[in-house]
Structure formats: structure tokens, C-alpha cells
């Protein structure tokens, strides 16, 4: 069923801003072209939100907050649970929409993105009435209790690599905690978020509780960061933009949560199960064409297994089925934009210029089916850890390989970058697994697997990967303020002033 006032025909996509419970044009009617990365065709023209549109959205969210915050936690949770069900009912449609907009293979959007989106909304639906305050054991005669109150209107800015999933990561905890939301998807991939907004209207989220403004970072994004009516900004994106967000939020002293870039270390020790390590390492870097902040983009191999591992890994990389992401057999689709593919290619040029050895891949694939899309072959490069391709976030299907002799050397290479988001290791030695997990400078560590995420497990980084955490109880803390209430039950207060 279409939301009120907005008939929805089959095979069309929502292209308008979602403000105050309605789908509306932008203030000056400007639009953003959205392309299919498989063939460069125009998918949609989406309304472009300007600063004034963000202001309208904040106004709607501010008004909605006054009622939403008084809803019982159970009522808020129930709506999120309904939304999770609705996402599952529209699973195939959402998977296809995400695939067309991002280039992410349909086998993954069906089995990972959509189920994870539903699971995250469901988790936070359940969380809403489980998240509670505390009583502090203070001095005798007083009751000191702490309540967790919503921040108010929160601004959320997300990137283009997992737009559907990130809608749930951002909105789930914020709404469960009683905040209202103004979310800006990436200008490159706004379609699935707009569809979720339609589903939210259908399941009964009150007008203004959620607002989606599709606009550019420099205009709509900047306004979210600077708007005095927004109490917190949660940003996922590149480190450079994130730094600007933190600076921009300082004027209004907004709370800031930053989920930024990564350069994940993936260490394979001599005693690892090589079959599992080869498979897991391929998923770590080739899933979503390597466009993942937690991608395992640095393979650190013990010298005793490096040659055998690389023989198998490069053969596997060469066999990855590239193609139309809408085909169920496709294992890797195109990168999400032409500009981004070109950026990744500059890293391959840098690797060549610095003398690194490209073991496989390294270019756009041949063939008519790839000609108009933004494809790139899975690429494995044996690189000096000091070189650019090994230090900077490439954000493509490109893995830099290094060799090590001692455990100390492996850790030294792993911790040598400025990022600290996700990292992993493959070993059968339990003691080593715990020790390395302790020593890796990163927010998440996977042992004998890679890139596991769950709505209950804290997600976030250290260093140039940002601060704050998505998911679990940590996320609820991100979206609430602690208020301590002191009650004098039967304490006798000393008379400190006056007579006697
Ligand atoms: P980006 O930083 O260019 O853009 C992210 C979002 O910020 C977009 O919505 C964009 O429009 C907006 N934006 C751009 N300039 C802005 C500004 N001046 N003010 C406010 N908003 C602005 O990143 P991207 O290219 O879309 O995404 C890729 C990056 O995101 C990579 O670095 C990746 O590692 C990172 N990322 C991090 C995580 C994480 O959880 N740590 C997850 C996914 C992606």
C-alpha cells in the first residue's frame, strides 16, 4: 500500500524527499541523477535536498520529538518490529533495488544485506524496552537513579557502500531510544533508503519521526552538521570528510559519532587451516567489490605458507565470476561509481610506479558486457608495507600482500597503519589467537573468520577509523544522555550557613 497522498506504481522508485511524513519535492526542484553501475544507464532522478530542505526536515523532527519521546518504549519497539517484518515481506524487491543502485551482487543483497537490515531493526525493536537506567549506591539517605534520555533530533549521514543496511544501523538504535531522525543517504545510492521510508510510513511511524533528505554532502550534509536544532550527528564515511564533520559540529557542540575508513589486517599463520583461510580471505576483500570499511585489504602471510597460500588465493581471485550483479551466479559486480573506479585505478598505478608486483588482476576486465560498467578485476598485489597501496584505504577489490617471519613482525606490520577498524587472524593456536586479538589495534577482531557483524556486537574503530560504536547496548548509549536524579529520602542535611 502506498503512503497517503503518494500513489505508487509497480516498477517505479521513490524519488522525493521524505519530510514530515510526506514525499515532497526539494525547495527549488533540483534533482540528482542516479546511475546503474552495471551499464551506466540512468536509474532515477532524485530530488536534491538543499539546506532549506534540511531545515524543513529538522523542523518536522523537532515537532515529532515532542510526542515520540513520550511514547512508551514498548510502543516504539513494536513499530520497529513491524518494520522488520515489512522489510522481510519486501525482501526480493529491496534486494533488487539495492543491487541495481549499488552494483552489489544479488546473491549477497538477498542473503546478507536484506536479512541483516531486517535483523537490525528487529534487534532494536526488541531493545527498546530492555534498555534501562540504573541506581547508584551513593551515601545513606539518598536515592540516586540514572535515566537514559534521548538526545533529541539526530542527524545521520551515510555512505554508498551498504546504504540499505546502514539505514537500519543508524535508525534502529536512534528510534528505539526515542530520538527523531534526519538521515542523508549518499547522493550516489539513495533509492533503498527512500523505499524504507515508504515502508516506515506504511507501518505507521508518525510524521516527522523519520525524515530522509537526499542531497549532496557539501550542501545538505554540511547543513545537518551545522544545524543548531540537531543534538547529535552520526556519520559514516571517509576519514577526511569525518574530520570536517567533527570540526563543523564543534560550533554547536553537537555530539559526534564517526565511523570512518579502514585498512584491515588479515594475518595467516603457519598453522592455519589454509582452505578456510583462502576462502575467508577472499570474502574479506572481494565481498561487495572490496567496498567495505572492514575489508581485509592487507594479507599478512607467514613465510612458511605464503607461497602455497598465494598459489591458491590468486587462482581463486582469477576465478571469481564478474558480471551483471542482477544474475544470481555473479560473485562480483561493478564498483558503485565511475569516479570511484577511477580512484581505485590510481592506486594500481601508484603500486606499479612504486615497484610493487601485481600477482593477478589490476585492470578493468575485457568483454562487451563490462564495457559500459564500472568493473575491475579482483587484484592481488605483493607490496612493500610502506607503499601507498598498503597504507591508504583503496576501497576496492585490491589486496596488498606482505610476508612475515615472527609473530612480533606480523603484529608490527598489522599495527603500522593509522586506521584501526577490523582485523583478523587464522591460526589453530588458541593462545596465539587470544594474544594477537589483545594486541591488534582495532575495534573488531575475527579469529578464523572475517567480517562477522551482528546487531548485538559493538561495531566501530579507533585511530583514523573514528570513534563511537554502532550496534548493541553501545549504540543505545550513543543515542542517549545519562541523567542522574538525586532524591533526599531521609538524609539530614548539615546546616552550613546562618545561625546555629
Ligand atoms: P564520503 O565521506 O565521501 O561520504 C559519506 C557521506 O558524507 C555521503 O552521504 C556524503 O554525501 C556525505 N558528505 C560528503 N561531504 C560532506 C560534508 N562536507 N559534510 C557532511 N557530509 C558530507 O564517503 P563515501 O565515499 O560515501 O564512502 C566511503 C567511505 O566510507 C570509506 O572511507 C569507508 O571506509 C567509509 N565507511 C566507513 C564505515 C564504518 O562503519 N567505519 C562503513 C562504511 C563506509
Amino acid at each position: 500500500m502506498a503512503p497517503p497522498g503518494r500513489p505508487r506504481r509497480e516498477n517505479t522508485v521513490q524519488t522525493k524527499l521524505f519530510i514530515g511524513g510526506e514525499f515532497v519535492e526539494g525547495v527549488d526542484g533540483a534533482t540528482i541523477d542516479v546511475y546503474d553501475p552495471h551499464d551506466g544507464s540512468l536509474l532515477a532522478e532524485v530530488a536534491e535536498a538543499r539546506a532549506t530542505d534540511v531545515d524543513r526536515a529538522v523542523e518536522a523532527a523537532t515537532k515529532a520529538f515532542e510526542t515520540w519521546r513520550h511514547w512508551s518504549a514498548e510502543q516504539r519497539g513494536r513499530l520497529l518490529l513491524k518494520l522488520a517484518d515489512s522489510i522481510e515481506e519486501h525482501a526480493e524487491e529491496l534486494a533488487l533495488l539495492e543491487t541495481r543502485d549499488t552494483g552489489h551482487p544479488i546473491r549477497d543483497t538477498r542473503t546478507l544485506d536484506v536479512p541483516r537490515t531486517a535483523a537490525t531493526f528487529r534487534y532494536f525493536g526488541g531493545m527498546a524496552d530492555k534498555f534501562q537506567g540504573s541506581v547508584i549506591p551513593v551515601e545513606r539517605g539518598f536515592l540516586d537513579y540514572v535515566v537514559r534520555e534521548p538526545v533529541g533530533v539526530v542527524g545521520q549521514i551515510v555512505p554508498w557502500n551498504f546504504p540499505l543496511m546502514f539505514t537500519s544501523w543508524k535508525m534502529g538504535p536512534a528510534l528505539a531510544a526515542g530520538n527523531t531522525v534526519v538521515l542523508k543517504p549518499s547522493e550516489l545510492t539513495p533509492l533503498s533508503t527512500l523505499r524504507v521510508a515508504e515502508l516506515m510510513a506504511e507501518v505507521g511511524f508518525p510524521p516527522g519521526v523519520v525524515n530522509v533528505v537526499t542531497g549532496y554532502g557539501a550542501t545538505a550534509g554540511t547543513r545537518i552538521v551545522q544545524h543548531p536544532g540537531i543534538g547529535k550527528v552520526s556519520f559514516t564515511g571517509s576519514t577526511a570528510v569525518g574530520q570536517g564533520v567533527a570540526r563543523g559540529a564543534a560550533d554547536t557542540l553537537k555530539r559526534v559519532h564517526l565511523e570512518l575508513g579502514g585498512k584491515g589486517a588479515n594475518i595467516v599463520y603457519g598453522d592455519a587451516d589454509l582452505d578456510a583461510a583462502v576462502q575467508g580471505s577472499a570474502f574479506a576483500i572481494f565481498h561487495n567489490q572490496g567496498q567495505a570499511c572492514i575489508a581485509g585489504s592487507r594479507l599478512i602471510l607467514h613465510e612458511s605458507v605464503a607461497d602455497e597460500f598465494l598459489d591458491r588465493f590468486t587462482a581463486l581471485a582469477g576465478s571469481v565470476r564478474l558480471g551483471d550483479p542482477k544474475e544470481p551466479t555473479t560473485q562480483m559486480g561493478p564498483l558503485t561509481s565511475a569516479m570511484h573506479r577511477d580512484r581505485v585505478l590510481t592506486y594500481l598505478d601508484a603500486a606499479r610506479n612504486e615497484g610493487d608486483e601485481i600477482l593477478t588482476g589490476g585492470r578493468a576486465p575485457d568483454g562487451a558486457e563490462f564495457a559500459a560498467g564500472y568493473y575491475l578485476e579482483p587484484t592481488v598485489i605483493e607490496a612493500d608495507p610502506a607503499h601507498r597501496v598498503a597504507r591508504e584505504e583503496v576501497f576496492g577489490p585490491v589486496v596488498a600482500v606482505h610476508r612475515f617471519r615472527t609473530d612480533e613482525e606480523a603484529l608490527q606490520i598489522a599495527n603500522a597503519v593509522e586506521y584501526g577498524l577490523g582485523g583478523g587472524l587464522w591460526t589453530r593456536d588458541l593462545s596465539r589467537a587470544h594474544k594477537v586479538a589483545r594486541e591488534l589495534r582495532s575495534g573488531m577482531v575475527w579469529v578464523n573468520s572475517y567480517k562477522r557483524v551482528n546487531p548485538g556486537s559493538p561495531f566501530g574503530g579507533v585511530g583514523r577509523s573514528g570513534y563511537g560504536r554502532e550496534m548493541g547496548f553501545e549504540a543505545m548509549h550513543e543515542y542517549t544522555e545519562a541523567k542522574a536524579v538525586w532524591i533526599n529520602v531521609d538524609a539530614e542535611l548539615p546546616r552550613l550557613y546562618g545561625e546555629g
Side-chain angles (χ1 to χ4, degrees):
M1 209 186 81
R6 176 70 199 166
R8 186 166 189 286
R9 282 178 293 123
E10 281 311 309
N11 302 323
T12 61
V13 291
Q14 181 54 257
T15 58
K16 295 190 177 169
L17 314 178
F18 186 57
I19 297 178
E22 293 183 340
F23 287 93
V24 295
E25 302 287 356
V27 65
D28 60 3
T31 56
I32 300 174
D33 291 343
V34 178
Y35 297 99
D36 181 334
H38 166 59
D39 57 12
S41 62
L42 187 68
L43 264 184
E45 291 165 276
V46 170
E48 181 192 340
R50 306 282 194 178
T52 324
D53 297 306
V54 172
D55 292 352
R56 286 158 71 199
V58 175
E59 200 179 314
T62 306
K63 194 165 161 228
F65 181 63
E66 284 316 310
T67 44
W68 182 244
R69 63 193 282 238
H70 297 302
W71 278 42
S72 72
E74 187 266 341
Q75 281 177 307
R76 290 197 302 267
R78 197 183 286 211
L79 271 188
L80 287 164
L81 296 174
K82 272 170 112 176
L83 177 64
D85 290 346
S86 173
I87 282 168
E88 281 170 351
E89 282 155 24
H90 295 87
E92 183 57 21
E93 177 205 334
L94 284 165
L96 188 57
L97 187 61
E98 189 77 337
T99 288
R100 291 175 71 203
D101 203 4
T102 63
H104 198 164
I106 189 88
R107 72 164 194 173
D108 294 337
T109 54
R110 277 180 182 152
T111 56
L112 295 173
D113 301 54
V114 174
R116 283 178 175 177
T117 302
T120 305
F121 278 125
R122 184 165 290 126
Y123 175 87
F124 285 107
M127 171 71 90
D129 60 0
K130 318 291 182 296
F131 184 62
Q132 54 201 22
S134 53
V135 176
I136 312 297
V138 294
E139 56 268 37
R140 195 183 160 94
F142 287 93
L143 169 66
D144 180 29
Y145 64 89
V146 177
V147 283
R148 308 281 328 183
E149 296 187 337
V151 175
V153 179
V154 300
Q156 304 183 318
I157 301 176
V158 295
W160 44 260
N161 57 336
F162 293 100
L164 176 65
M165 233 167 58
F166 288 154
T167 298
S168 66
W169 289 25
K170 294 286 184 210
M171 287 184 183
L175 296 172
N179 302 280
T180 54
V181 164
V182 175
L183 183 141
K184 192 194 87 58
S186 165
E187 56 276 20
L188 295 171
T189 56
L191 301 182
S192 56
T193 308
L194 288 173
R195 183 68 183 118
V196 170
E198 287 185 317
L199 298 179
M200 292 178 111
E202 282 177 26
V203 301
F205 278 84
V209 166
V210 164
N211 303 272
V212 178
V213 284
T214 50
Y216 290 105
T219 48
T222 299
R223 185 60 185 151
I224 288 176
V225 172
Q226 295 178 348
H227 198 296
I230 290 180
K232 176 193 171 88
V233 64
S234 178
F235 172 85
T236 300
S238 60
T239 298
V241 175
Q243 289 169 318
V245 167
R247 276 191 292 269
D251 282 341
T252 46
L253 283 183
K254 274 184 190 57
R255 288 179 59 180
V256 179
H257 169 199
L258 298 175
E259 295 287 350
L260 309 177
K263 192 72 185 172
N266 183 19
I267 311 173
V268 181
Y269 289 91
D271 65 346
D273 172 345
L274 277 201
D275 273 344
V278 166
Q279 275 291 326
S281 302
F283 177 73
I285 186 62
F286 301 136
H287 169 237
N288 200 19
Q289 297 74 255
Q291 302 168 130
C293 50
I294 52 173
S297 51
R298 293 182 298 146
L299 251 177
I300 304 171
L301 306 176
H302 189 260
E303 59 174 4
S304 65
V305 289
D307 286 337
E308 186 184 349
F309 183 97
L310 283 175
D311 281 350
R312 293 204 213 172
F313 188 73
T314 51
L316 188 150
S319 75
V320 170
R321 277 195 302 277
L322 260 75
D324 184 341
K326 296 186 288 305
E327 292 297 328
T329 51
T330 292
Q331 296 170 333
M332 230 179 75
L335 276 70
T336 299
S337 75
M339 206 173 82
H340 182 61
R341 201 260 310 257
D342 292 347
R343 182 174 170 274
V344 174
L345 285 171
T346 65
Y347 277 103
L348 303 185
D349 290 342
R352 290 186 184 96
N353 292 337
E354 288 189 286
D356 296 325
E357 189 186 353
I358 298 186
L359 303 178
T360 185
R363 60 197 185 95
D366 293 329
E369 61 175 311
F370 303 116
Y374 318 141
Y375 287 89
L376 190 67
E377 289 179 345
T379 300
V380 183
I381 304 178
E382 184 131 20
D384 186 316
H387 289 173
R388 269 188 73 199
V389 75
R391 281 185 296 111
E392 296 179 22
E393 185 183 44
V394 176
F395 219 57
V398 178
V399 64
V401 178
H402 316 302
R403 298 176 191 235
F404 70 94
R405 285 201 193 99
T406 64
D407 286 13
E408 291 70 30
E409 201 185 344
L411 266 174
Q412 187 268 321
I413 297 171
N415 286 339
V417 297
E418 292 176 305
Y419 293 107
L421 192 59
L425 60 139
W426 301 82
T427 182
R428 290 188 169 101
D429 180 333
L430 189 60
S431 160
R432 172 191 280 145
H434 285 292
K435 197 170 146 219
V436 176
R438 189 179 63 205
E439 298 300 326
L440 273 178
R441 194 171 152 274
S442 74
M444 291 157 284
V445 176
W446 300 282
V447 178
N448 295 330
S449 74
Y450 211 95
K451 278 179 80 170
R452 306 296 312 176
V453 292
N454 182 284
S457 183
F459 184 104
V462 298
R464 285 173 71 83
S465 294
Y467 47 77
R469 293 291 180 272
E470 316 258 30
M471 309 297 207
F473 282 82
E474 301 273 349
M476 298 301 285
H477 283 266
E478 292 285 342
Y479 288 108
T480 52
E481 304 277 11
K483 178 186 276 179
V485 180
W486 287 74
I487 308 286
N488 182 347
V489 179
D490 55 5
E492 203 165 305
L493 300 182
R495 293 176 62 83
L496 296 175
Y497 305 100
E499 291 185 3

